[in-house]
Amino acid sequence: MQTDSIELSFLSIFAFITFFIFLIVSKYSDKLDNGILLDKDFFKPQAFHNEAISRSGGIASIISLFIFFGIYYLLFSKILYEYIFLCTSLFLVGYLDDIKIKISPNSRLILMIVFLIILINVLPIQIIHMDLIFLDLWLENKIFSTIFVLLCFLFIVNGANLIDGFNGLLTINLLIINSVLLSINLNSDRVEFSFFLTAQIIILISFLLFNFPKAKMFLGDSGSYLFGSLTALNTIVTDNLNSHISSFFFCILLSYLFFEVFFSFIRKIYQKKSPVLPDNKHLHMLSFIKISEIFGADKGNYMNSIIINSIFFILVLPSIYFADNSLICKYWFFSLISIYTLVYIRLYRLTKN
């Protein structure tokens, strides 16, 4: 009981510190190097803002995260090497774009792959089990395991970056995912890991206060890569720690981030576009057009985030009650994929003109 009280006290202090880090970064980041972090590109396909906003959310997030790593070491005498090296590497890849160092999408993808392959093998990071017998057997092979884990990270990290276009859209989605992961680990008495998940949720909420409903800062590529990698690793760790839960349940939980990338890749190839270049035909962009007709463009920005995440939460919620049933989770996952596809086709036809 005393230990729990100490942890809660540290989390309270951490929440207070994190809020002021975001406050200070939000106030002064636009003055850094003549406004190098200001997003003034209003004409890129994924831009839905009309004033210069600082892409400094990633900086405030990683500062807060490293402060927490220090707190975690004080409490548990452990260094979270996997998280430290992973989030730092992916943060730096995204930060290059935030400070306007132009590298091609292909070069950025290659850089990300190189970092991830090294980290997956050195740390190491692995998925212990899947609800498919042939995958379980293949995961015993080192090369296949590395490729499989690499793809998991690439889908989630790029999915996070892909949907980070509207105020609160990515952040609320990550809050839903990490809150469910926290609930699972609390029920399994994984106290230390639950403590870490709570800290991440505190950082996300602190950022949301400065991004929603009106944006005072953006996560930037550094922030979306940072939280995408954290969420992917959180899911893998939770899956490994809770073998009684179907691995397809975690697929359900990450379905929006994963399928947004997968569907977009296939769609762009079909439309004879480069699959790595951005466009304005993603689900959240099409839904914004229809929602803006109802609420107007200003309110449509954050209402789009609320509606998409509300639907996502409603669709994911039932799966929590049969999370340990592999067969139902499989059917539910593919049902969600079907729903996404049908909704996309309908929105595409409605907004085609």
Side-chain angles (χ1 to χ4, degrees):
M1 184 67 69
Q2 186 177 359
T3 304
D4 292 343
S5 178
I6 293 172
E7 290 170 0
L8 288 173
S9 298
F10 270 106
L11 284 175
S12 300
I13 295 169
F14 177 69
F16 183 78
I17 293 171
T18 300
F19 173 79
F20 277 96
I21 288 172
F22 276 93
L23 182 65
I24 293 168
V25 171
S26 172
K27 186 174 180 62
Y28 295 106
S29 59
D30 59 337
K31 299 176 176 60
L32 182 65
D33 198 7
N34 296 318
I36 195 171
L37 287 172
L38 289 176
D39 189 347
K40 301 176 183 178
D41 189 354
F42 309 128
F43 302 104
K44 58 187 177 182
Q46 66 272 38
F48 289 88
H49 60 289
N50 52 20
E51 57 183 292
I53 305 292
S54 175
R55 295 182 291 185
S56 55
I59 295 175
S61 297
I62 200 163
I63 292 171
S64 301
L65 196 61
F66 270 88
I67 289 173
F68 176 78
F69 287 145
I71 294 173
Y72 189 90
Y73 180 75
L74 289 174
L75 283 176
F76 303 110
S77 299
K78 292 181 181 178
I79 300 176
L80 299 170
Y81 291 107
E82 297 94 335
Y83 281 94
I84 291 173
F85 290 122
L86 179 70
C87 69
T88 302
S89 300
L90 272 294
F91 169 85
L92 291 174
V93 172
Y95 191 65
L96 294 175
D97 187 72
D98 288 345
I99 58 174
K100 300 178 176 62
I101 296 179
K102 297 299 181 183
I103 57 175
S104 69
N106 286 327
S107 299
R108 191 190 310 181
L109 181 61
I110 291 171
L111 187 60
M112 192 184 302
I113 290 172
V114 170
F115 275 131
L116 285 170
I117 288 176
I118 293 171
L119 293 171
I120 289 168
N121 285 281
V122 171
L123 289 173
I125 301 170
Q126 59 182 340
I127 296 174
I128 295 175
H129 75 284
M130 287 291 296
D131 287 344
L132 295 171
I133 296 175
F134 70 92
L135 266 183
D136 264 347
L137 294 173
W138 291 354
L139 285 172
E140 294 176 5
N141 181 281
K142 183 66 175 176
I143 296 176
F144 179 84
S145 177
T146 299
I147 294 173
F148 186 77
V149 175
L150 171 66
L151 288 174
C152 291
F153 273 105
L154 289 177
F155 275 117
I156 302 308
V157 171
N158 285 288
N161 190 47
L162 198 60
I163 72 168
D164 183 33
F166 292 95
N167 300 349
L169 180 59
L170 172 61
T171 312
I172 296 172
N173 188 260
L174 293 179
L175 280 170
I176 293 171
I177 293 170
N178 284 290
S179 295
V180 173
L181 295 178
L182 174 61
S183 175
I184 291 170
N185 285 286
L186 283 174
N187 289 334
S188 301
D189 292 325
R190 308 290 182 179
V191 178
E192 291 183 19
F193 188 53
S194 297
F195 184 65
F196 183 36
L197 288 173
T198 305
Q200 293 178 55
I201 290 171
I202 288 171
I203 297 173
L204 286 168
I205 292 173
S206 296
F207 169 72
L208 194 63
L209 295 173
F210 294 89
N211 178 255
F212 184 89
K214 182 175 175 59
K216 297 179 179 64
M217 66 164 59
F218 294 147
L219 274 177
D221 284 4
S222 60
S224 59
Y225 285 177
L226 169 67
F227 281 112
S229 61
L230 286 173
T231 301
L233 187 52
N234 290 341
T235 307
I236 291 173
V237 172
T238 302
D239 185 26
N240 291 340
L241 291 175
N242 298 273
S243 58
H244 62 286
I245 294 180
S246 169
S247 53
F248 268 88
F249 170 75
F250 298 106
C251 295
I252 292 169
L253 201 55
L254 299 175
S255 58
Y256 180 39
L257 293 177
F258 153 75
F259 198 64
E260 182 70 34
V261 177
F262 182 82
F263 184 86
S264 298
F265 187 86
I266 301 299
R267 172 180 61 80
K268 288 177 183 177
I269 291 177
Y270 177 77
Q271 295 173 337
K272 297 180 180 179
K273 299 178 181 178
S274 169
V276 298
L277 292 179
D279 69 2
N280 59 356
K281 299 298 180 184
H282 299 290
L283 177 71
H284 56 283
M285 297 175 177
L286 299 182
S287 63
F288 171 71
I289 295 173
K290 303 305 295 181
I291 291 171
S292 293
E293 292 175 2
I294 302 171
F295 296 100
D298 290 339
K299 290 184 178 179
N301 187 308
Y302 64 83
M303 287 303 300
N304 193 33
S305 302
I306 292 173
I307 291 171
I308 288 177
N309 280 302
S310 296
I311 294 171
F312 170 76
F313 180 69
I314 291 168
L315 291 174
V316 166
L317 186 61
S319 66
I320 296 174
Y321 296 98
F322 48 76
D324 58 347
N325 190 311
S326 176
L327 183 61
I328 298 179
C329 282
K330 288 175 187 176
Y331 283 121
W332 198 261
F333 171 70
F334 289 110
S335 296
L336 294 186
I337 298 306
S338 300
I339 290 170
Y340 178 101
T341 306
L342 292 172
V343 170
Y344 183 91
I345 293 171
R346 178 62 177 165
L347 283 172
Y348 184 80
R349 289 173 177 172
L350 287 173
T351 58
K352 194 172 184 179
N353 295 325

